[in-house]
Amino acid sequence: NAGVMQNPRHLVRRRGQEARLRCSPMKGHSHVYWYRQLPEEGLKFMVYLQKENIIDESGMPKERFSAEFPKEGPSILRIQQVVRGDSAAYFCASSPRADSNEKLFFGSGTQLSVL
Amino acid sequence: GESVGLHLPTLSVQEGDNSIINCAYSNSASDYFIWYKQESGKGPQFIIDIRSNMDKRQGQRVTVLLNKTVKHLSLQIAATQPGDSAVYFCAAITGGGNKLTFGTGTQLKVEL
């Protein structure tokens, strides 16, 4: 029973390029959450998705960032025209339900470095 | 809104001693709290949780205490081991759902 899988583990992009981060939730989980972690800081909520729906994107920057969780395949966090400030670790978590009884299980993250 | 903060950025303890990591939160409506452990290069790992209708919960070698009066919670690790070295985060949920607000973390260093 694989956990939350994220890829790539490390992603290097030059300023202006696009970054695509993938997250495959645990088997049976249909709720996905993306968090960003800057160096020596806690994780900050970005977006919450269910299959084919964005439920809460209150933590997403207004521009350049988008997320999707299609019916088939992994959830994708997409960052267009990356800037150095986007350099961070991006973590994905999944749960089978939306209520607060669930313990979120996190993936190992994608470390994005923008040159 | 909610902000969650920890008192110390770094805590050093001797192997075998007990560790206490503290956390303060700002929103009295927060009703669910979780402690996570994060090792270098890895994602947060669930340690223990507690609901606001409880003031203490115990797990294997870990205990979480919640003081709603002063909006404070702590994580106690008994007989700290080298493998406990990591950054520890408290996180809070307000009003249901799974949207976590994390603190900035405490680096626990276990000295042999």
Side-chain angles (χ1 to χ4, degrees), chain A residues 9 33 35 37 58 98 100-101, chain B residues 38 41 51 97-100:
Chain A
R9 286 299 311 275
Y33 309 79
Y35 286 79
Q37 184 177 33
S58 59
S100 60
N101 291 317
Chain B
Q38 187 177 26
R51 297 204 166 280
N98 276 322
K99 184 176 175 180
L100 293 163

Side-chain angles (χ1 to χ4, degrees), chain A residues 9 33 35 37 40-45 56 58 91 95 97-109, chain B residues 31-32 34 36 38 41-46 49 51 57 89 93 95-105:
Chain A
R9 286 299 311 275
Y33 309 79
Y35 286 79
Q37 184 177 33
E40 300 188 0
E41 293 189 8
L43 282 72
K44 297 287 195 297
F45 170 81
D56 182 347
S58 59
F91 291 97
S95 69
R97 294 193 303 271
D99 60 45
S100 60
N101 291 317
E102 293 304 314
K103 309 168 184 62
L104 286 186
F105 294 94
F106 284 84
S108 295
Chain B
D31 50 12
Y32 182 53
I34 309 173
Y36 285 93
Q38 187 177 26
K42 297 184 179 180
Q45 176 188 355
F46 173 92
D49 59 353
R51 297 204 166 280
R57 190 154 189 233
F89 294 95
I93 289 178
N98 276 322
K99 184 176 175 180
L100 293 163
T101 299
F102 281 82
T104 52

Side-chain angles (χ1 to χ4, degrees), chain B residues 2-3 7 10 12 33 40-41 48 58 62 65 77 82 86 92 105:
Chain B
E2 171 70 278
S3 67
H7 293 301
T10 303
S12 294
F33 304 89
S40 181
I48 192 168
Q58 287 184 292
V62 294
L65 299 177
I77 304 173

